[in-house]
């Protein structure tokens, strides 16, 4: 068995060298196709990271009446904490609200000098596990004893959450389309390489070679070309990551970074995709020529 694998491997590399032009064409096709796929994955990762970061800043503000009693406040705090949608709860006193107000308008002293801590309401600031549940949580808090108002930014937040959901849906569709296009393009390139060697395959059939004996070296070729293309595509993605890191250093407000783990995930995805497409493309392309 080991001898046969060694033979197939040796035959594979001989064929790769013998048909160097088609080998380069196949590797280049895989490289470009998987680079586009990896680039789309990177765009999706950046967009998802940005939306997740902004979603994490969405909060529900529950403003309390000045007349709220300690028992009512305790009951309200318990009710908020018991809600399964709630992630974190922070109580902001009148004094803390005033300090935040002063910080927000530190460049406009005229807006601060006529406002006292008593003028601002105490509140609960609620971070949700899923920002899309904000309406459900609000409906359970409005009208409770001691609650003056429940605010979360209204239509602006809802519009943002819809945009985030639409982005993720479009991204998944584009990934599926691009993956399908890459599969067709790579398989067709491998098919051309096999077609160029149809006489060689026919001769092997005539001298009694089995279908699998003919097929395996071609599958090895397809896998090798796809794997090398995936490595080159990952190198492109890694170079893009280094460029994004530099951009992030110059402008920290732009959430364009991806971590090293993402590059490893991209490599695994591209390598797996390339190898599967390479093996299937070679096998399918050989089928018609093995029916001699």
């Amino acid at each position: 068995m080991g001898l046969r694998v060694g033979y197939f491997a040796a035959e594979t590399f001989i064929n790769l060298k013998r048909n160097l032009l088609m080998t380069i064409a196949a590797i280049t096709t895989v490289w470009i196709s998987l680079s586009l796929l990896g680039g789309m994955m990177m765009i999706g990762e950046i967009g998802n990271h940005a939306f997740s970061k902004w979603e994490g800043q969405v909060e529900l503000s529950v403003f309390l009446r000045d007349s709220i009693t300690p028992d009512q406040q305790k009951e309200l705090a318990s009710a908020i904490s018991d809600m399964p949608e709630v992630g974190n709860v922070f109580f902001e006193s009148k004094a803390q609200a005033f300090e935040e107000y002063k910080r927000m308008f530190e460049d406009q002293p005229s807006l601060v000098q006529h406002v006292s801590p008593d003028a601002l309401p105490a509140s609960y600031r609620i971070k949700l596990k899923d920002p899309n549940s904000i309406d459900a949580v609000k409906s359970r808090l409005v009208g409770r004893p001691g609650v003056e108002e429940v605010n979360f930014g209204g239509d602006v937040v809802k519009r943002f959450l819809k945009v985030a959901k639409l982005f993720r849906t479009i991204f998944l569709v584009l990934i599926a389309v691009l993956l399908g296009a890459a599969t067709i393009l790579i398989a067709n390139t491998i098919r051309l390489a096999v077609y160029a060697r149809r006489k060689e395959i026919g001769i092997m059939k005539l001298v009694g070679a089995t279908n699998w004996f003919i097929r395996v070296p071609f599958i090895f070729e397809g896998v090798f070309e796809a794997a090398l293309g995936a490595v080159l595509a990952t190198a492109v993605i890694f170079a893009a990551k280094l460029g994004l890191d530099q951009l992030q250093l110059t402008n920290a407000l732009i959430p364009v970074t991806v971590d090293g783990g993402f590059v490893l995930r991209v490599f695994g995805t591209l390598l797996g995709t390339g190898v599967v497409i390479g093996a299937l493309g070679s096998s399918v392309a050989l089928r018609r020529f093995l029916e001699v």
Side-chain angles (χ1 to χ4, degrees):
M1 182 64 183
L3 181 61
R4 180 168 294 185
V5 171
Y7 166 77
F8 286 144
E11 191 68 16
T12 296
F13 284 103
I14 290 172
N15 290 336
L16 288 170
K17 289 174 62 178
R18 185 185 301 159
N19 302 277
L20 188 60
L21 188 60
M22 291 305 298
T23 298
I24 293 173
I27 292 172
T28 302
T29 301
V30 176
W31 177 16
I32 294 173
S33 300
L34 295 185
S35 292
L36 291 173
L37 179 60
M40 182 58 64
M41 291 175 65
M42 176 172 279
I43 292 172
E45 178 75 6
I46 292 170
N48 191 56
H49 179 266
F51 280 118
S52 296
K53 183 178 180 180
W54 291 328
E55 282 177 345
Q57 296 174 354
V58 174
E59 67 177 20
L60 197 65
S61 299
V62 182
F63 296 104
L64 309 181
R65 298 178 184 274
D66 291 341
S67 59
I68 188 171
T69 66
D71 288 341
Q72 288 175 335
Q73 186 170 335
K74 183 178 180 180
E75 182 182 345
L76 177 62
S78 178
I80 293 173
S81 299
D82 290 342
M83 291 182 184
E85 300 91 346
V86 172
N88 296 307
V89 184
F90 171 71
F91 176 72
E92 185 177 72
S93 66
K94 285 177 170 286
Q96 290 171 323
F98 182 63
E99 290 301 319
E100 178 67 15
Y101 180 83
K102 288 195 298 183
R103 187 189 65 79
M104 291 176 58
F105 297 103
E106 59 184 357
D107 296 331
Q108 298 173 276
S110 60
L111 295 177
V112 177
Q113 61 185 1
H114 299 298
V115 175
S116 66
D118 288 336
L120 300 175
S123 63
Y124 283 102
R125 307 288 183 177
I126 304 172
K127 296 282 187 181
L128 301 175
K129 295 176 182 177
D130 180 7
N132 291 291
S133 63
I134 203 163
D135 276 325
V137 175
K138 177 183 177 182
S139 65
R140 279 179 258 161
L141 294 173
V142 171
R144 291 186 69 95
V147 174
E148 177 71 32
E149 182 184 3
V150 181
N151 195 321
F152 64 90
D155 292 338
V156 174
V157 172
K158 289 182 180 178
R159 196 175 300 120
F160 163 76
L161 294 176
K162 287 181 180 178
V163 170
K165 185 176 181 179
L166 179 62
F167 170 83
R168 292 184 175 111
T169 302
I170 291 175
F171 165 70
L172 291 176
V173 171
L174 288 177
I175 282 290
V177 170
L178 193 56
L179 183 58
T183 301
I184 294 171
L185 189 58
I186 293 169
N188 282 339
T189 302
I190 294 172
R191 185 174 298 161
L192 287 174
V194 173
Y195 179 78
R197 295 160 62 186
R198 62 193 182 281
K199 292 182 180 179
E200 177 186 336
I201 296 170
I203 293 172
M204 293 177 71
K205 284 286 294 181
L206 290 174
V207 298
T210 65
N211 286 348
W212 274 109
F213 190 84
I214 299 171
R215 181 180 280 125
V216 171
F218 282 96
I219 293 176
F220 277 18
E221 287 180 45
V223 168
F224 175 81
E225 291 163 352
L228 184 54
V231 170
L232 294 174
T234 303
V236 171
I237 300 304
F238 183 71
K241 175 201 171 346
L242 295 179
L244 292 176
D245 289 344
Q246 290 299 316
L247 180 60
Q248 178 73 8
L249 288 175
T250 57
N251 193 336
L253 295 178
I254 302 178
V256 293
T257 56
V258 292
D259 56 31
F262 168 76
V263 178
L264 291 177
R265 292 195 300 274
V266 167
F267 174 66
T269 301
L270 298 186
L271 182 62
T273 301
V275 167
V276 170
I277 292 173
L280 289 178
S282 299
S283 184
V284 171
L286 278 164
R287 186 175 300 169
R288 62 176 293 193
F289 300 113
L290 293 178
E291 298 172 355
V292 178

